[in-house]
Amino acid sequence: MAFLRRRRFISVVGRKSGVPEGLWIKCPACKKAVYGTDVKDHQEVCPQCNYHHRVSVWQRIEWLLDPGSFTETHPNLISADPLGFTIKEVAYSYAQKVTEYQKRTGLKEAIITGFGAIEGERTAFSFMDFSFAGASMGSVVGEKFCRAADDAIRERVPLVSFATSGGARMQEGTLGLMQMAKTADAVRALNEAAIPYISVLTNPTTGGVYASFASLGDIVLAEPGAEIGFAGKRLIEGALKVSIPEGFQTSEYQFANGFVDAIVSRTEMRALLAKFLRYMKPQ
Amino acid sequence: MKRSSIELVDNARSTVDPWLPFEKRSVELETRLRMAATEDEREALQRELDAELKRAFSSLTPWQRVQVARHPLRPRMLDYTSRVLDDFIELHGDRAVGDDPALIGGLGRFEGRTVVVVGNQKGVSTDERLRRNFGMAHPEGYRKALRLFRLAERFGYPVITFVDTPAAHPGIEAEQRGQGPAIAENLRAMLALKTPVYSVVLAEGGSGGALGVALGDVVAMFEWSIYVICPPERCAEILWRDADRKELAASALRITAESLRSLGVIDEVLPEPPGGAHRDPDGAANTLRIHIRKFLEGCDTNQWSPRKRQEKFRAMGQWLEG
């Protein structure tokens, strides 16, 4: 039986997303053993402690939107490696990394845009996926977010964005930084056109994405327990030589500080978004 | 108060030797030049110095360029405002939390017209640098900047922003008060602003912290300044877990003024006096004055518009579409 006990729990810490079905797993938050299928049935939320596992964009789309309502837009944008970021001395090639991410994730970039519906309300969407380069924001993420906003304005439907990001895409240098300005301008255009923009912050939403379009929603929602902040914890610890208080830069912390309208569990997200989309329907 | 280049030198000398290895020879010649007894000697030394500065600064590696941008003697915002503006009245406070000495602003007069000035003052002496948090702003700095942008818009004053910061302050209180949202708000506001903006990167423009006051109709960089998504050391640390590979990162990131102009990130490069702005702050300020004058002439002829500014930033980025 010792053999069984040893193999009964499979830790999912470090997995990009997805919980294995039909197995017992150890929840990385509450450390309790939960049945994988139970987690899956709860949209990858721990039934014991409400921990939100990371999910892929396609999984999220399946759970959130009316079945079969999603059509992807601008699917063929890929990074152009604008700086030619290849460093022979350390055998590093950004272009090659991008190809690797594409193979590993089946995604072309860290963002998917499109149109879909929630309870019949047609909506423009932008979803980011952390498994692609830590959902860092480079030219493609910036451009696709802007296009999603422009599509929303053109069709006069709201824009709903699910953000996640480790920050700006370093390998695109200052051009990557400029995506913050570019996406902030897309929000400005939405505001001027009176098109509602709902920004949902998921784990983690940090750096340049947090300091641009993600925090500029007319309504800002967050999944429970997500890491949300501008400067990384390690950077702050290193710079200030202080220890970080518990619960720092979580959804709950940002809610308490007044930067989030509501913390919404993944399983309740669809119902709440449906209300916003109905109540705020553009005229 | 105007600081001369000699003062700049003395200030930094009081702490540590501020000179970079490739400047040593020039500094030696400069010292000899100051002590030169005869006109002939002076002329010969000056020629030698000019040649040496040209030589030393024409073959800098990307990492050495980072060092020049971070040169402790580099003129700071107030060194420029004291030279370029006829008057500058600093205004304080974000009207909510406090006043940020790292990101300052106020009303200025430039050749007889009123402008609003906003920017990072990094500080000169160690005391000032500490007091000003090395030019790293808190959310209240960005909110004070926003308040001043609105003031400028209300009365139709052009805005001039000076960018000189390694980053927005990474700290617990800064996060608590919304560093990310504060910067985001400034980006959106600057793009919508109905009055023209001229932004100039003086030394090191770092990440979102710089961007939060840098969305000008015209964005300029001094020749030896850099504008980065993150410091090369940190880039190396993140990509290869080795900050010592900063030199490789510095060259790959393309952070120099010319590179960024060719990428369309900035609009103009302000040439610096031989050997860098820290050798001749008056000369650097003169160049800046000429460019600001040109920008203000553009204001008079309606050369700038929010729409053009928005389109410029919207066009930034490169991708392939299959």
Side-chain angles (χ1 to χ4, degrees), chain A residues 208-266:
Chain A
V209 165
Y210 183 54
S212 62
F213 69 89
S215 59
L216 291 176
D218 297 299
I219 291 161
V220 179
L221 307 175
E223 284 193 340
E227 182 189 345
I228 298 167
F230 178 59
K233 275 184 220 174
R234 275 201 339 213
L235 182 70
I236 294 173
E237 263 171 330
L240 302 180
K241 314 269 184 270
V242 293
S243 58
I244 299 294
E246 186 146 346
F248 179 64
Q249 287 185 334
T250 57
S251 306
E252 293 72 16
Y253 175 91
Q254 299 298 6
F255 177 78
N257 290 327
F259 296 104
V260 169
D261 287 296
I263 295 173
V264 185
S265 189
R266 192 175 291 155

Side-chain angles (χ1 to χ4, degrees), chain B residues 156-230:
Chain B
Y157 306 142
V159 175
I160 300 163
T161 71
F162 295 82
V163 181
D164 185 14
T165 182
H169 178 73
I172 292 168
E173 292 81 14
E175 293 291 322
Q176 206 166 28
R177 297 198 285 267
Q179 190 72 292
I183 291 171
E185 202 65 63
N186 273 25
L187 300 179
R188 173 167 62 182
M190 284 193 93
L191 287 156
L193 209 64
K194 291 192 179 69
T195 195
V197 181
Y198 184 87
S199 299
V200 55
V201 181
L202 302 181
E204 183 177 15
S207 81
L211 198 67
V213 293
L215 304 188
D217 298 84
V218 178
V219 179
M221 280 176 76
F222 268 106
E223 185 182 354
W224 298 108
S225 66
I226 58 171
Y227 196 0
V228 300
I229 189 164
C230 84

Side-chain angles (χ1 to χ4, degrees), chain A residues 78 174 185 191 230-231 249, chain B residues 175 188 227 314 319-321:
Chain A
I78 53 168
T174 315
D185 188 62
N191 298 161
F230 178 59
Q249 287 185 334
Chain B
E175 293 291 322
R188 173 167 62 182
Y227 196 0
R314 275 290 188 108
W319 59 87
L320 301 170
E321 193 163 14

Side-chain angles (χ1 to χ4, degrees), chain B residues 232-260:
Chain B
E233 300 90 318
R234 186 148 168 74
C235 173
E237 203 178 288
I238 292 169
L239 291 183
W240 311 299
R241 309 207 177 281
D242 183 1
D244 290 339
R245 289 180 170 159
K246 56 192 186 239
E247 281 147 45
L248 297 176
S251 82
L253 284 168
R254 297 184 61 190
I255 53 187
T256 62
E258 320 86 276
S259 300
L260 293 172

Side-chain angles (χ1 to χ4, degrees), chain B residues 11-65:
Chain B
N11 247 319
R13 278 228 174 112
S14 62
T15 50
V16 281
D17 177 12
W19 301 106
L20 299 167
F22 51 86
E23 288 182 299
K24 297 281 187 215
R25 173 93 187 111
S26 316
V27 173
E28 209 182 290
L29 289 167
E30 280 162 339
T31 313
R32 278 169 57 198
L33 184 63
R34 269 202 295 276
M35 313 224 246
T38 69
E39 195 57 39
D40 285 356
E41 200 186 338
R42 228 188 313 274
E43 264 175 37
L45 279 165
Q46 186 65 54
R47 266 197 307 278
E48 205 182 327
L49 174 63
D50 291 347
E52 169 56 23
L53 285 173
K54 208 172 160 191
R55 187 199 62 77
F57 279 76
S58 63
S59 56
L60 296 182
T61 66
W63 178 248
Q64 286 172 325
R65 298 194 55 149

